[in-house]
Amino acid sequence: MAAISFGSILLLLLSLSLAQLLRWNPMWFGRSAGELPSSSEFFVFHEHDTLDDALFQHVGQLGDEFDAYRNHCLRVLSFAVHHLGGLRNVTNRQVNLMALALAYHDIALWTDGKLDYLDPSAALLLRDLRKNDKSGSVQDLQDADFVTLREIVLQHHKLTTWTPPEGSQADELLVNAVRKGDWADATIGMIRFGLPAAYLEKAYTELPEGGFHRILARMGGRLSPDSITERLAVLNIFKL
């Protein structure tokens, strides 16, 4: 009798958990999350010149996974702008900085073949900026912008709020907006810092996932097929 009672309790808890998950993120179950009001707060970028210009420098390395990565970057950019209050509350300069950083935030998975990819991704961003600066294609970037770009890449897997160290010139608002946006997209809304489920559904409808999460899940075996130790290097990208 006790065993049946215990099993019934477990079944009830499981049912309640699934019901809460369905309520929290219905699109996981193929259900619509409802309509959003027409508002600049829920804007979805379908393209962005700064992001695309940066990404096309590495189209060869991204190969047939280019579109999946680009859509991920555009969804995160959209969510980041939402966290800053929507299009009416951000400047073109802020959006451009976030877009540029996002083009590189995971890029070393492809360009360097690194599971511990934050530092090499940030390094490639700065190398490309120096190269483009010599060609005259980088304009109006200040010292503080370079610091912000680097921190956006390095901190985008931090779960809790990032606070800049004393003396840092990094824009804390931009770093944390991208951080929240990336967690929302990487977890398909399980961790989303208040983003409405309907907004995620809108973003995934307009910018198809394209197998991006499956690509990430397979990176360990693809980049380090014979080394468990090397696969565990991916844990270095996560920060509390």
Side-chain angles (χ1 to χ4, degrees):
M1 191 69 158
I4 295 175
S5 177
F6 181 68
S8 299
I9 292 173
L10 284 179
L11 183 60
L12 175 62
L13 291 175
L14 178 61
S15 300
L16 290 173
S17 298
L18 288 174
Q20 180 62 22
L21 180 58
L22 175 60
R23 177 175 173 272
W24 173 249
N25 207 345
M27 72 175 188
W28 271 52
F29 299 87
R31 299 275 298 278
S32 173
E35 297 294 323
L36 281 169
S38 177
S39 168
S40 64
E41 294 179 20
F42 304 112
F43 181 79
V44 175
F45 287 93
H46 295 152
E47 60 184 2
H48 193 280
D49 289 345
T50 299
L51 188 148
D52 285 339
D53 287 347
L55 279 182
F56 275 112
Q57 296 180 76
H58 302 286
V59 64
Q61 289 123 316
L62 287 160
D64 58 7
E65 293 169 349
F66 178 89
D67 287 339
Y69 180 56
R70 178 178 180 269
N71 283 0
H72 164 65
C73 292
L74 288 167
R75 289 192 302 268
V76 175
L77 179 62
S78 304
F79 299 153
V81 168
H82 174 83
H83 282 298
L84 292 170
L87 288 174
R88 292 173 297 180
N89 294 293
V90 295
T91 66
N92 287 335
R93 182 182 186 82
Q94 288 175 314
V95 177
N96 284 334
L97 283 174
M98 293 190 293
L100 180 56
L102 280 167
Y104 289 88
H105 75 296
D106 295 335
I107 199 72
L109 281 167
W110 290 272
T111 59
D112 294 52
K114 300 286 188 182
L115 291 175
D116 188 358
Y117 58 82
L118 297 183
D119 284 307
S121 292
L124 179 59
L125 165 57
L126 298 180
R127 284 201 304 273
D128 279 358
L129 285 177
R130 286 194 293 268
K131 178 180 67 178
N132 294 336
D133 188 42
K134 292 178 182 178
S135 69
S137 60
V138 174
Q139 300 177 0
D140 300 328
L141 284 178
Q142 308 300 317
D143 289 345
D145 297 329
F146 286 93
V147 179
T148 297
L149 289 167
R150 184 173 185 274
E151 292 296 350
I152 288 175
V153 174
L154 295 181
Q155 307 301 332
H156 77 270
H157 281 302
K158 192 175 189 303
L159 184 58
T160 57
T161 301
W162 178 76
T163 303
E166 185 176 351
S168 173
Q169 296 178 292
D171 189 321
E172 182 178 358
L173 290 177
L174 298 191
V175 174
N176 280 303
V178 174
R179 179 185 63 79
K180 292 176 182 178
D182 186 78
W183 272 104
D185 197 68
T187 64
I188 320 179
M190 290 304 295
I191 301 173
R192 63 172 184 261
F193 299 98
L195 290 181
Y199 185 30
L200 271 89
E201 182 179 23
K202 173 181 171 68
Y204 276 94
T205 299
E206 297 181 15
L207 295 167
E209 193 266 353
F212 177 72
H213 294 83
R214 185 173 65 252
I215 291 167
L216 292 184
R218 293 176 176 174
M219 278 292 183
R222 189 162 111 187
L223 300 182
S224 302
D226 302 317
S227 172
I228 296 298
T229 301
E230 289 182 16
R231 290 191 195 186
L232 290 176
V234 74
L235 298 177
N236 293 329
I237 69 175
F238 297 106
K239 307 174 184 180
L240 290 178

